[in-house]
Amino acid sequence: MKAMVLAAGLGTRLQPLTDNRPKALVEIGGRTLLEIALARLSSFGIREAIINVHHLAGMIVDYLKAHDNFGMRVDISHEDLLLDTGGGLKKAAYFFMQNSPSSDEPFLLHNVDVISTIDLRRMVQFHADHRALATLAVQERPTSRYLLFDDQLQLCGRKAGRDAESELVRRSSQTTALAFSGIHVISPRLFSLMTEEGVFSIITPYLRLAARGEKILAFRSDEYQWRDLGRLEDVMQADQDARQLLSARTKQN
């Protein structure tokens, strides 16, 4: 199984930490976000990954080389222009189509600034069991942007906030508003259905394809720990928590 780590963002909300390094190399408890993401993917048996880069891209390339790609086969997708999540994935499509034993084998898409205990193996199995086109890890928690799912866990719309008007692409008598966690399992068939070009969010084709009846499903991950490290205060708190945990473990030993 292969994976893509989305790491091309400018990380403007993490300034000044990202003034002289890319977001992927911001550290939590002495480990970079990129190392944490790759180690987590590796722990689930993933040995091949592609990483999209833009801001201070050379630093990421040098970092991976210095660490022997953390024991994985790693490709780099350079984005001269930031392509957003959908455009970035589409540019990297070649990676998932080459040397694949099966064109139906799903892959993981993972934000670099997300850390969690979500059981990726269970998520992949859920995706396979339901023969989904894409499966999105979601939770019931406050967010500024919600995805809407019906009682069959199928994507049917979105809305900007809890009190905002719903934008529905599929009829549903009742919807549940859930927060997306930045982790996807995707079937390669998606690439042939992505008519969007250039810069676009992956949510755009998800909604368009859901309207056509494609299975874009929710994987409920409420029981797992999850953290978004896209803001400076979140990174500082996570770093403090990680160091306190490390200190406690050291004292125990």
Side-chain angles (χ1 to χ4, degrees), residues 32 34-36 38-39 42 63-64 67-72 74:
T32 66
L34 183 56
E35 178 189 353
I36 293 169
L38 290 177
S42 181
Y63 173 78
L64 288 167
H67 291 83
D68 195 27
N69 292 336
F70 294 97
M72 302 174 71
V74 175

Side-chain angles (χ1 to χ4, degrees), residues 131-194:
R131 298 183 179 182
L133 180 63
T135 299
L136 315 182
V138 294
Q139 295 179 325
E140 188 171 359
R141 54 178 167 77
T143 185
S144 59
R145 292 176 292 181
Y146 290 94
L147 294 178
L148 305 176
F149 296 88
D150 63 19
D151 56 3
Q152 300 298 311
L153 297 177
Q154 296 203 52
L155 179 66
C156 56
R158 64 180 168 185
K159 63 178 179 177
R162 182 64 71 178
D163 299 322
E165 185 176 345
S166 298
E167 175 191 340
L168 291 176
V169 297
R170 293 176 63 249
R171 285 188 177 183
S172 178
S173 58
Q174 185 173 357
T175 63
T176 302
L178 298 168
F180 180 41
S181 298
I183 303 171
H184 330 224
V185 178
I186 301 172
S187 294
R189 190 168 64 87
L190 177 67
F191 292 122
S192 65
L193 302 174
M194 292 173 78

